[in-house]
Amino acid sequence: PLPKILEEESKIDNSKYASINPSIQVFGGSRTDDGMDYETFALPVEVTAPMGESQTFEFTGRLENLPIPSASNDVSGELANILTFGLWNNHLVKESSLKGPPLLIKSVEFEAPYFPVWPPKSYTAIFFDSKNKGNIEVYATEVIGQFMQRAFRRPLKPGELNRYMDFWKDIKNDFESFEEGIKEVLIAVLCSPNFIYLATPENPESNEIDDEFYLASQLSYFLWNSPPDETLINLALKGDLHDELINQIERMVNSSKISNMINSFAFEWLRLDRHKSMDVNVENYVDFTRFIKEDMFNETYNFIEYVLKNNLSIMNFIDSDFAMLNQNLAEFYGIEGVKGNKFRPVKIVENNQRGGLLSQGSFLSGHSDGVQAHPIKRAVWLKEKILGDHPPAPPPNVPELDPETPGFENLTLKEQLFIHRNKVSCMDCHQKIDPYGVVFENYDAVGRFQLTAKEKPIDSRSKLPDGTEINGIEGIKEYILDLKKDDFTRSLVENLLAYAVGRDIGFADEKEINNIVEKVKDDNYRF
């Protein structure tokens, strides 16, 4: 009978995964007209209960960090604009014929708002206990004054509190509760330029900035993308932050909040927005799932964070003897022996064709056209972001690659570029750019290594403008490490400095950049 046959098939399928545990990943988001806009929250959790027994898991996240729907009449469809929560078995499979380790969900509960303690910390951090709670005016002065110091990230100047207290006195009777009247004043505080901007302190007697509170804010927004914590403020109050700078940087780098800097800086420096917006042809690459795409981001973020936290040489960004992988991405790249969802350094063997940033999917996929590799995009990225050499913009009215060329569809990218480059209007620029892109031709539109394209062996040999002959990705890595090490160091310093100070750098920064580059070189190029 059919049920018996299905039961036997299920046992056979499940036996394949007897030694593998499923893993739960939770997501939340908004149902849209054409699909779903969602974000995962909390970390995946491995289910270790034996078959047939149950476990209870709790996942906590903040709704405002999720793409939850807002009331709108501009959407159509009965299911559009619906708040959606769900989970999937995060032991991801690549083929429809594979089922993965079985995971049975007995029930799901959702609770909001959720507060571990009451009143919540968000309330008690503002309306703290005080012996003056019975004296409304004195207590209001304490609450508003402390909030202003936190918002302005420094002690208040004489008379600075008065205008906000005067405002509170004018409006306090317009509200039913003390808290609501205070809240209106706090909104005014958050509208102040002292909160919104990191203003450089004025010191007419010196060109040097010796304001330790300014240093605390600059340091914290650079490394944590958040206001300075109590430790930094207390050191600034004592005037000890300059002297403790090295120890504080060490502490901040080893904090979990360093990922704020890593992710933001990497996204800007490496132009990961191009990977985010790239639409890959799913018919050509059926296993390039949204999970693979997200893991490519995580590969880059985890790789840079590992180099930073272990203070390794920045030359690992060019080439490294390890890659940061989890099972999902390792299987996609064709690397065996990596199990589990957690990213970890994986030793690279010669035929893996990985290591460094130049062979990571986030760059290779983001600089394709979604169908095939794009040597020009990859070349421009390499010259701009790695070597600090900005190619000129193409002149107006330059023709695209001409698909009308006889036999064009059967040509490799290198052959197509050769035809395009021989046009007079294209020759000058492409001779300076193309050789840097041809070396990536072994990587397809989604960053996998290949030896053939269009049934032809791939030729990734190239002759650079300075006459150096190189072969493929390994050749360009060796070229940079042998001849362009200082160019890369300067490029990284310039990009990091621009991120740190929050502005474009210019001629006036040259002396400081040169000093930093020399210090990095003297420190064996450590990050």
Side-chain angles (χ1 to χ4, degrees), residues 51 64 130 206 315 335 412 441 445 484 512:
M51 185 76 74
E64 59 264 41
S130 169
S206 173
M315 295 308 146
I335 298 174
T412 65
E441 196 167 351
K484 297 293 181 178
E512 194 62 51

Side-chain angles (χ1 to χ4, degrees), residues 90 291-303 306 323-330 333 338-346 360:
N90 209 42
F291 307 112
I292 291 292
K293 187 171 185 175
E294 186 66 24
D295 279 343
M296 286 179 172
F297 280 116
N298 293 326
E299 173 190 20
T300 300
Y301 296 150
N302 280 277
F303 180 79
Y306 184 82
M324 295 297 290
L325 299 171
N326 66 355
Q327 180 177 349
N328 188 43
L329 194 57
Y333 286 155
V338 180
K339 301 298 181 184
N341 296 306
K342 186 177 180 180
F343 278 83
R344 84 299 303 262
V346 175
Q360 291 186 5

Side-chain angles (χ1 to χ4, degrees), residues 410-474:
N410 296 320
L411 298 177
T412 65
L413 282 169
K414 187 175 183 179
E415 292 167 338
Q416 293 173 6
L417 283 173
F418 180 78
I419 294 173
H420 184 69
R421 188 166 57 242
N422 281 344
K423 296 180 179 180
V424 176
S425 60
C426 309
M427 185 178 300
D428 186 52
C429 282
H430 278 275
Q431 286 179 337
K432 300 173 184 177
I433 297 173
D434 291 6
Y436 293 95
V438 168
V439 298
F440 294 104
E441 196 167 351
N442 282 113
Y443 293 90
D444 64 14
V446 293
R448 277 188 299 209
F449 190 81
Q450 57 185 4
L451 294 174
T452 60
K454 297 183 178 179
E455 300 181 354
K456 296 180 181 180
I458 291 175
D459 180 9
S460 58
R461 292 173 298 173
S462 183
K463 186 174 183 179
L464 300 180
D466 64 4
T468 304
E469 295 185 359
I470 58 176
N471 188 3
I473 187 69
E474 297 304 321

